[in-house]
Every structure is written in structure tokens, then in C-alpha cells.
């Protein structure tokens, strides 16, 4: 192999096997795809050690992708339950799974996840540092962070969220902004605390080139984390968020110079009227790199329903240029999500992503909708169920109150509009009293 990363290959004019697979999945010409990978406008996260991976592309002109977060915590340390969530995610066809475990020795779970998952695997090394190193935050050195990143890379992690943009300049801007909700990024808050306690620069920023060297070795895509993302609609588009975004734009170019693929992470909480402008600003400041958003959540008052607030924001974001949606579950802000929460979050995010792909005119995005509509016209229930995002739920709802006439549903019965129109167009009479 005479290249180190997908970007390195693309720059050299080489079409990798991963590019060929993505080209087929996306109906995009191989050479066009290669050019976009070379420019950094598409990333194909594919660690050389992730042997079970089914490669996916993230970025310009491609389907909007979905990520699922899972992982154990001190209050819920059961790896079995997290693997059940991973299996469900794979069943629903999500393209990425992030292991955000923050308790104990997490590599046993992560290695098994990488071994069996066709989806991309992501991590946030900052979360793992304390448990992995068994040190208090203040005692961790820059070299320790490098060790954790290298361990994750060697295991086969495809992309890593690294909060390199929250440097001393960005922190000063954050402090001046007097936010309502301060820092809500877990990794960002830990780095902020480390910087304030030690007086040192963010090690991920200060030793950025060293981290890039590790990522390049294993072809790990860097997902530049937004430590200063807004945690409330009050704080969106403020100086702290945008100052960090400016730093991320510079870090994007530095990564590309090392042939390291990049994604850039975005908000957060944000009112609907600000989302489109934020997508444009991000793409401009970060040179067209793929954009990975959490939500955005469009209101702050819906705990228990934040999969809905997120899906609304995610659909708007993706329709205006975001490439990758991190799911949000009904448990957001409340607890670690259970299996049911994970399912609800996946379905909500898939709805948002697919709706956005239709709006963006992604090739063939409308095809399955047209098939569903044709099956509805013909009142073919089995075919309708097969096209549904959640086939099991659609079938269960239909069967819960079964109609007398299987060519209708229990809501309209024989007054079904499809049935009436089909009969008339077929030259038949529509009669209710006689039929009864």
C-alpha cells in the first residue's frame, strides 16, 4: 500500500477499495468522489485495523449519515446492555457508533465493538483518559493524552472527537461572553478545568501535530470537537462558539496538510431561525469540511422529548449543509438511555436525515418514498411495512386494531379514500349500505 490515508491516496490519484464501495453506495462517480476526498469535502473514516467495517462517506453530495452514542457510566456499568444497543443500531442501519464509556477499563467493550461492527466506530479519548490512566485530572500530562489516543487508534477506532479548538484565546472569549449555561461539552469542560488548574495550554492544541502523526499512522479521521457549543438557545451563535469555530478552521487546514481526514462538530442548542446561517458560516470558516451536528435542539423545555427537538433542528441543519447527525434520545438531559430510548433516537434522526436528503436532492433519495406511496395507493400492507423505517412498529400499530376489510385500516374503514378512488377508476360502484 503506497499511501497512508484515504486523503493521501486521493491526492495521489489512487481510488481505494473504500472509495469504490462508497461510490457504489452513493451512486457517485469514483473520480468525482476521489477529488472530493482529496479536497477534504468528503471523509471516509476507515481505520486500517477495523476489519469488519463497511465503509461510508460523509460530506458533500452524499446521504446524511447517523451516529449513535452509547457506553457505560459509573451508575450503569453493564457492558451487556450497551452491546444490545449496538446490535439494535446495526439492525437499523446506522452508519456510526460512538463509544462514550467513561468508567473503568473500557477497552474490553470497545475491542469487541470494533470486531463485530460494520458501522464506523468513534470515541472521545478525553473521556477515557481518567479511567484508563487511573489519575486525577490535574495529574494527567500531555504525554498521557497521547498514549490514550494511540491506544484507541491501534484498537481500530475510525474517528475521534478531539477538542483542540478550546485554546487559551477561545477560553478568554468564553469568559467574556458570560453565558447562561457555560460549557456543556463533557470533554470541553474537563479540558477547561485542566487548563485552569494547571495554567497550561490545551495539550490537544499545543501538541496538535503530534496527535496528527498518530492519526495519520492508522488513518483515523479527526472530528474536531466543539467544546464551546451552546447548551441553550440563549447562548447560540455567541462569541465563544464562533471564536472556537475560527480556531477549528485553522486546525482543519493543518490536518489536511498531514493527509488526515477531518470532520468538524457543531451545535448544540439553537433556535430554528439561526440554523441555516450557522451551517453556511461553518462551511465557510472550515473550508467545506464535513459538518457533524448534535441536534441542534430547537427549544430547551422538552426533557423527555428531546429526540423530537433534535430531529426538527437536525432536519433543518442537514437540509442546509450538515452532513452527519448525532442522534439524541428522549433520555437526553435526564439519564443514560435504555434500549427503547436508543430506538426512538435512531428513528427520529433517520427521519430528519432522510427528509433533508430529499430537500437537498440527493440522488435516489425520493425513490423509497415513491414506492411507499404506490403501495399505499394499492393498499398493499406488507409492501408498506417493508418500506417503513420501523417496520415492526408500523405492523404492530396496524394489527392492534385490525380492520374487518384488510383493504382498509380501522380509522376510515370502507370510507378509505384510496379504496373509494380505486373502485371508481376501475369502473366499480362505491356502495356502503348494500355492502353492509
Amino acid at each position: 500500500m503506497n499511501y497512508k490515508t484515504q486523503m493521501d491516496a486521493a491526492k495521489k490519484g489512487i481510488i481505494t477499495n473504500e472509495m469504490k464501495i462508497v461510490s457504489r453506495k452513493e451512486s457517485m462517480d469514483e473520480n468525482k468522489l476521489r477529488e472530493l476526498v482529496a479536497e477534504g469535502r468528503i471523509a471516509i473514516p476507515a481505520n486500517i485495523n477495523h476489519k469488519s467495517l463497511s465503509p461510508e462517506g460523509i460530506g458533500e453530495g452524499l446521504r446524511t449519515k447517523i451516529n449513535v452514542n452509547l457506553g457505560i457510566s459509573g451508575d450503569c456499568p453493564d457492558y451487556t446492555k450497551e452491546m444490545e444497543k449496538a446490535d439494535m443500531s446495526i439492525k437499523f442501519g446506522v452508519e456510526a457508533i460512538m463509544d462514550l464509556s467513561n468508567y473503568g477499563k473500557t477497552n474490553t467493550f470497545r475491542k469487541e465493538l470494533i470486531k463485530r461492527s460494520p458501522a464506523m466506530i468513534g470515541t472521545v479519548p478525553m473521556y477515557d483518559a481518567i479511567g484508563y490512566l487511573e489519575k486525577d485530572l490535574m495529574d494527567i500530562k500531555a504525554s498521557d493524552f497521547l498514549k490514550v489516543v494511540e491506544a484507541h487508534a491501534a484498537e481500530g477506532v475510525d474517528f475521534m472527537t478531539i477538542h483542540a479548538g478550546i485554546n487559551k484565546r477561545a477560553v478568554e472569549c468564553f469568559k467574556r461572553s458570560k453565558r447562561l449555561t457555560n460549557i456543556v461539552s463533557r470533554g470541553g469542560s474537563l479540558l477547561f478545568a485542566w487548563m485552569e488548574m494547571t495554567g497550561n495550554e490545551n495539550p490537544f492544541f499545543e501538541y496538535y501535530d503530534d496527535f496528527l502523526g498518530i492519526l495519520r499512522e492508522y488513518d483515523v479521521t479527526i472530528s474536531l470537537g466543539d467544546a464551546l457549543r451552546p447548551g441553550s438557545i440563549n447562548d447560540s451563535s455567541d462569541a465563544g462558539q464562533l471564536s472556537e469555530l475560527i480556531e477549528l478552521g485553522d486546525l482543519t487546514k493543518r490536518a489536511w496538510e498531514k493527509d488526515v481526514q477531518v470532520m468538524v462538530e457543531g451545535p448544540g442548542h439553537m433556535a430554528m431561525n439561526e440554523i441555516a446561517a450557522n451551517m453556511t458560516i461553518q462551511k465557510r470558516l472550515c473550508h467545506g469540511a464535513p459538518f457533524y451536528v448534535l441536534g441542534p435542539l430547537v427549544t430547551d423545555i422538552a426533557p423527555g422529548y428531546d429526540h423530537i427537538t433534535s430531529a426538527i433542528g437536525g432536519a433543518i441543519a442537514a437540509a442546509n449543509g450538515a452532513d452527519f447527525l448525532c442522534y439524541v434520545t428522549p433520555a437526553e438531559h435526564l439519564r443514560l438511555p435504555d434500549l427503547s430510548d436508543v430506538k426512538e433516537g435512531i428513528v427520529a434522526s433517520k427521519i430528519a436525515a432522510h427528509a433533508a436528503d430529499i430537500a437537498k436532492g440527493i440522488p435516489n433519495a425520493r425513490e423509497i418514498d415513491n414506492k411507499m406511496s404506490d403501495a399505499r395507493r394499492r393498499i398493499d400492507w406488507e409492501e408498506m411495512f417493508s418500506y417503513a423505517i420501523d417496520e415492526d412498529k408500523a405492523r404492530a400499530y396496524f394489527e392492534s386494531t385490525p380492520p374487518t376489510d384488510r383493504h382498509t385500516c380501522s380509522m376510515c374503514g370502507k370510507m378509505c379514500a384510496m379504496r373509494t378512488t380505486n373502485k371508481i377508476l376501475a369502473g366499480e360502484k362505491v356502495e356502503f349500505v348494500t355492502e353492509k
Side-chain angles (χ1 to χ4, degrees):
M1 185 171 66
N2 57 348
Y3 59 88
K4 294 297 292 184
T5 69
Q6 296 292 320
M7 175 171 266
D8 181 31
K11 288 177 180 178
K12 292 176 176 176
I14 300 169
I15 297 174
T16 66
N17 186 55
E18 290 79 8
M19 292 180 202
K20 291 177 181 178
I21 293 171
V22 172
S23 172
R24 289 196 297 270
K25 287 183 176 181
E26 301 284 350
S27 300
M28 178 179 281
D29 178 75
E30 289 181 359
N31 285 302
K32 179 180 179 181
L33 178 68
R34 182 195 59 75
E35 290 173 3
L36 290 170
V37 171
E39 294 170 5
R41 304 175 88 86
I42 286 177
I44 303 177
N47 188 311
I48 59 173
N49 290 337
H50 188 177
K51 305 303 183 183
S52 62
L53 178 69
S54 177
E56 297 284 354
I58 301 169
E60 186 176 309
L62 306 182
R63 291 178 297 106
T64 305
K65 305 305 187 298
I66 298 295
N67 172 70
V68 164
N69 289 341
L70 46 78
I72 65 165
S73 68
D75 291 314
C76 302
D78 189 343
Y79 285 123
T80 304
K81 290 183 179 179
E82 296 312 294
M83 195 58 77
E84 289 175 359
K85 296 175 188 177
D87 290 340
M88 174 182 285
S89 302
I90 293 166
K91 174 188 172 184
F92 272 91
V94 303
E95 291 85 9
I97 299 172
M98 289 197 78
D99 173 20
L100 305 187
S101 297
N102 61 7
Y103 175 79
K105 298 297 184 182
T106 62
N107 59 343
T108 301
F109 171 68
R110 188 166 52 251
K111 287 178 179 177
E112 179 62 24
L113 184 61
I114 292 167
K115 180 180 178 181
R116 65 195 285 180
S117 175
M120 298 175 279
I121 301 300
T123 59
V124 185
M126 185 68 202
Y127 296 175
D128 202 23
I130 296 171
Y132 181 86
L133 299 167
E134 296 182 334
K135 291 183 178 181
D136 281 328
L137 182 62
M138 190 172 179
D139 297 329
I140 299 175
K141 307 299 182 186
S143 58
D144 293 326
F145 290 120
L146 281 161
K147 290 177 185 176
V148 175
V149 169
E150 182 147 29
H152 284 213
E155 288 166 8
V157 170
D158 301 296
F159 66 97
M160 294 185 202
T161 293
I162 291 181
H163 299 92
I166 182 171
N167 56 22
K168 287 187 174 181
R169 287 191 296 267
V171 166
E172 285 304 311
C173 200
F174 154 69
K175 288 180 176 179
R176 289 195 303 268
S177 66
K178 305 295 182 183
R179 280 184 161 186
L180 182 63
T181 46
N182 291 320
I183 297 175
V184 299
S185 161
R186 188 192 312 171
S189 68
L190 291 171
L191 274 171
F192 171 70
W194 186 90
M195 292 165 68
E196 292 293 298
M197 289 191 297
T198 64
N200 295 329
E201 179 60 277
N202 176 355
F204 291 106
F205 177 77
E206 185 174 3
Y207 300 99
Y208 188 60
D209 287 339
D210 295 322
F211 285 103
L212 291 179
I214 296 170
L215 302 182
R216 186 179 192 275
E217 184 68 23
Y218 296 91
D219 197 2
V220 178
T221 297
I222 188 169
S223 188
L224 290 168
D226 53 339
L228 296 178
R229 68 174 181 267
S232 63
I233 58 173
N234 181 80
D235 297 339
S236 62
S237 307
D238 71 352
Q241 177 196 335
L242 295 177
S243 67
E244 183 183 32
L245 189 60
I246 292 168
E247 299 293 342
L248 297 183
D250 180 62
L251 293 171
T252 296
K253 292 178 71 175
R254 287 175 59 186
W256 286 345
E257 289 168 1
K258 303 286 187 178
D259 300 323
V260 174
Q261 299 183 99
V262 177
M263 299 186 292
V264 179
E265 299 184 15
H269 293 233
M270 182 167 287
M272 289 194 297
N273 59 302
E274 296 180 37
I275 295 174
N278 267 263
M279 300 305 107
T280 301
I281 290 169
Q282 187 279 335
K283 287 285 186 174
R284 177 69 180 85
L285 291 179
C286 296
H287 320 291
F291 199 21
Y292 176 23
V293 297
L294 176 67
L297 281 66
V298 295
T299 179
D300 300 328
I301 61 169
Y305 299 92
D306 276 329
H307 59 310
I308 298 173
T309 66
S310 170
I312 293 168
I316 297 170
N320 286 279
D323 307 290
F324 195 18
L325 302 182
C326 185
Y327 91 151
V328 172
T329 77
E332 186 78 5
H333 302 112
L334 301 172
R335 61 171 168 82
L336 190 74
D338 63 18
L339 201 61
S340 175
D341 296 325
V342 170
K343 178 181 176 180
E344 292 297 313
I346 290 171
V347 171
S349 292
K350 286 181 75 72
I351 292 169
H354 182 64
D357 288 346
I358 292 170
K360 287 190 285 191
I362 297 298
N364 305 319
R366 286 177 178 261
E367 185 176 332
I368 194 167
D369 294 77
N370 292 339
K371 288 179 178 179
M372 173 69 88
S373 298
D374 183 59
R376 280 182 174 150
R377 176 183 57 79
R378 293 181 281 106
I379 319 179
D380 186 328
W381 292 107
E382 289 302 319
E383 191 173 340
M384 283 186 257
F385 298 148
S386 73
Y387 299 137
I389 289 176
D390 185 353
E391 177 179 349
D392 293 340
K393 185 171 185 177
R395 186 185 300 278
Y397 266 55
F398 177 76
E399 297 292 355
S400 65
T401 311
T404 304
D405 182 349
R406 300 288 289 190
H407 290 86
T408 67
C409 77
S410 58
M411 180 175 183
C412 297
K414 290 183 178 180
M415 293 181 68
C416 170
M418 295 294 190
R419 180 179 183 273
T420 296
T421 306
N422 289 344
K423 279 182 169 290
I424 293 298
L425 291 176
E428 301 174 21
K429 292 182 179 180
V430 176
E431 298 173 324
F432 299 107
V433 177
T434 303
E435 289 183 15
K436 182 178 180 182

